[in-house]
């Protein structure tokens, strides 16, 4: 994408990779280019006189290979394909706590996410990796991408749902995760529920292949 000026609002949206030059002008990557030198173009409008350093970042996981993991995140303002902003849609044993933006209550928020992931991972492999479960996760991701359209940077705001931006909230998201956590209670061979075991140590499954 290229820089877009909205004169009525005195706002210019610039693409990722735009830089501030010594003369106060903005240089934006040309559409289809990677930025730098001949692949840049000067953004129209008055020079920049003040700069506000605000929060904001791109996602980076240098210990993960995007292609091998089937992910997109490098240099982007989103991570995809993540079901419920935290579980890989096609590889559900890969999870990310803390991806969403503008979180009003980080500690309980992350606790809800962790509880959801833990309960999902306590399910039998067939239930977690089955075609129906995978299709459900992928459909959720597709609906979210459709909801944000070209504004990929809005993908991880929990105020966005499949109905569009501003249609839900972080609190509703947390309640949704907890409802899902308690809706299905996977049982082990002894018949007890993972959530009802007395301690975290007791909740941990034994290593695959047996052992204490």
């Amino acid at each position: 994408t290229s820089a877009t000026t909205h004169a009525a609002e005195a706002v210019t949206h610039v693409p990722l990779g735009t830089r501030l030059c010594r003369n106060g002008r903005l240089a934006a990557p040309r559409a289809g280019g990677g930025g730098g030198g001949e692949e840049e173009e000067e953004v129209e409008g008055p020079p920049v006189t003040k700069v506000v350093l605000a929060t904001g970042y791109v996602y980076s996981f240098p210990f993960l290979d995007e292609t091998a993991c089937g992910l997109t995140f490098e240099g982007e303002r989103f991570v995809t394909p993540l079901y419920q902003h935290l579980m890989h849609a096609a590889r559900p044993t890969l999870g990310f706590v803390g991806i969403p933006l503008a979180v009003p209550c980080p500690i309980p928020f992350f606790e809800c996410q962790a509880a959801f992931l833990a309960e999902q991972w306590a399910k039998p492999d067939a239930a977690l990796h089955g075609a129906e479960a995978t299709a459900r996760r992928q459909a959720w991701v597709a609906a979210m991408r459709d909801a944000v359209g070209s504004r990929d940077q809005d993908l991880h705001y929990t105020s966005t749902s499949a109905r569009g931006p501003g249609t839900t909230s972080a609190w509703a998201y947390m309640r949704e995760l907890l409802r899902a956590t308690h809706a299905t209670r996977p049982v082990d061979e002894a018949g007890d529920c993972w959530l009802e075991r007395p301690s975290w140590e007791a909740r941990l499954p034994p290593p695959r292949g047996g052992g204490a």
Side-chain angles (χ1 to χ4, degrees):
T1 59
S2 57
T4 303
T5 299
H6 305 274
E9 302 174 8
V11 169
T12 299
H13 288 141
V14 296
L16 196 66
T18 298
R19 65 187 182 90
L20 179 61
C21 302
R22 290 181 178 273
N23 63 1
R25 300 285 181 177
L26 293 175
R30 294 182 185 275
E38 297 178 355
E39 296 183 347
E40 291 182 335
E41 58 185 356
E42 187 175 282
V43 177
E44 295 182 2
V48 175
T49 57
K50 295 180 181 179
V51 175
V52 177
L53 297 178
T55 56
Y57 53 86
V58 295
Y59 295 95
S60 178
F61 303 99
F63 47 86
L64 293 178
D65 184 293
E66 279 186 291
T67 302
C69 294
L71 288 167
T72 299
F73 60 79
E74 191 62 41
E76 301 290 357
R77 298 175 183 175
F78 61 90
V79 184
T80 192
L82 293 187
Y83 172 64
Q84 291 289 6
H85 308 289
L86 59 97
M87 174 186 284
H88 195 304
R91 301 184 179 190
T93 53
L94 178 59
F96 301 80
V97 171
I99 291 293
L101 303 171
V103 175
C105 45
I107 301 304
F109 189 96
F110 299 154
E111 184 176 356
C112 290
Q113 287 194 311
F116 178 87
L117 270 183
E119 182 67 5
Q120 293 294 309
W121 289 344
K123 292 181 177 180
D125 285 349
L128 186 62
H129 295 276
E132 183 178 346
T134 300
R136 181 174 63 253
R137 292 190 296 264
Q138 292 175 334
W140 187 94
V141 172
M144 288 294 291
R145 295 302 298 268
D146 288 343
V148 300
S150 62
R151 289 187 58 81
D152 290 328
Q153 65 268 34
D154 292 344
L155 190 61
H156 294 306
Y157 283 101
T158 51
S159 58
T160 299
S161 74
R163 300 187 304 276
T167 55
T168 185
S169 68
W171 305 101
Y173 170 76
M174 292 164 62
R175 288 192 292 269
E176 181 181 356
L177 291 185
L178 288 182
R179 281 194 298 268
T181 298
H182 293 280
T184 56
R185 298 191 163 199
V187 296
D188 64 10
E189 294 178 357
D192 68 326
C193 168
W194 178 87
L195 286 172
E196 294 171 346
R197 294 171 195 166
S199 67
W200 286 104
E201 290 79 6
R203 293 172 186 173
L204 293 174
R208 292 183 183 274

